[in-house]
Amino acid sequence: MVIAELRKLLGIPTAWAGLVVGTLLAPLIVLLNAPATRRAIADGSYGDLSNLGMNDLGVGLLGPLVLGVVIISSEFTPTGEHSAGVTQLHTTLTAMPHRLRLLAAKTAALIAVVLLQSAVAATAVLTLTRALHGGAMPPVDPVRLVTVLIYWVLLALFAYAITLIVRNGIVPLTVLIVNSFFVSVSYLLTKVTDLAYYLPDIAGARMFIRGDRFDYAMSPLVAGLTMTAWVVALLALGAWLFHRRDA
């Protein structure tokens, strides 16, 4: 079942767009920002040098967002003009009537793909960063690197859960991209209340980003537990709704 869901996911053109962009964008940003980064390191304005490379990995998060959305939104795509109201989900449920097993298979497939993508992207970014900035980059903490991979997976599952709840891919993907890359509503809310630091996207970044760029103290462990709690809660709600709703 997991293999079948992997094949379905990799058969979606938008998923390949997410894979390619998510994997290549972060290394590209490292290259483009290299001159500015060198100047910042030289004049001491860069800040915590242990964030070298780690900061750039955030750009690649577009990939997990896209993958998390399309793996489930594709099920709500109409099958054709002559089948009004019939979606891909009807066909899927005919082959696999047990809805929770279907969700488990999709979840496993998504985790596998995003883990591989994040590992490739992180390796490329950190290798390139070391090649460009040499001795300025401290040794990479293996535990911290693992938290990056976990963060990518959690973000993909977050997008997956939201899409499962709203049964639409366009709205959650648009909102998530705008909030992540253009106007972060979550960040703006931190200026109003410290509770906003416990929102999933803000807390998640604290899992691997170090230094004083945040005004509110939160350990990586608390950050990880906070984001995990959000994801688990939303997945539980999404699974419950998926189990009860009509296809």
Side-chain angles (χ1 to χ4, degrees), residues 7 16 23 32 36 38 44 47 75 78 81 99 105-106 117 120 122 135 184 190 219 223 231:
R7 288 174 178 165
W16 277 102
T23 304
L32 294 176
R38 288 194 194 98
E75 295 290 354
E81 296 180 2
R99 296 191 178 206
K106 283 187 175 295
Q117 180 188 38
V120 171
S184 175
T190 63
S219 70
V231 170

Side-chain angles (χ1 to χ4, degrees), residues 81-99:
E81 296 180 2
H82 304 293
S83 304
V86 178
T87 64
Q88 177 61 40
L89 183 59
H90 290 86
T91 304
T92 301
L93 290 176
T94 300
M96 168 50 74
H98 197 296
R99 296 191 178 206

Side-chain angles (χ1 to χ4, degrees), residues 164-225:
L164 187 60
I165 292 169
V166 303
R167 294 166 64 102
N168 177 282
I170 297 175
V171 173
L173 187 57
T174 301
V175 171
L176 289 169
I177 289 176
V178 169
N179 186 69
S180 299
F181 298 99
F182 296 100
V183 180
S184 175
V185 176
S186 302
Y187 177 74
L188 293 176
L189 286 174
T190 63
K191 304 302 180 182
V192 179
T193 172
D194 287 344
L195 291 176
Y197 284 102
Y198 291 90
L199 291 172
D201 52 334
I202 299 294
R206 306 291 292 273
M207 293 170 62
F208 61 95
I209 298 297
R210 304 288 186 266
D212 56 0
R213 58 181 292 186
F214 299 102
D215 297 327
Y216 185 83
M218 181 183 292
S219 70
L221 177 60
V222 172
L225 291 175

Side-chain angles (χ1 to χ4, degrees), residues 1-9 64 67-73 75 92 96 98-116 152-162 164 231-232 234-240 242:
M1 189 65 186
V2 176
I3 299 299
E5 290 303 324
L6 274 171
R7 288 174 178 165
K8 284 174 63 177
L9 176 59
L67 291 168
V69 169
V70 300
I71 193 173
I72 190 66
S73 66
E75 295 290 354
T92 301
M96 168 50 74
H98 197 296
R99 296 191 178 206
L100 294 184
R101 287 182 185 173
L102 172 62
L103 285 185
K106 283 187 175 295
T107 303
L110 178 62
I111 290 173
V113 172
V114 174
L115 266 180
L116 179 60
W152 278 48
V153 170
L154 287 174
L155 195 66
L157 291 175
F158 179 76
Y160 170 60
I162 294 294
L164 187 60
V231 170
V232 169
L234 290 172
L235 279 176
L237 175 59
W240 180 75
F242 185 73

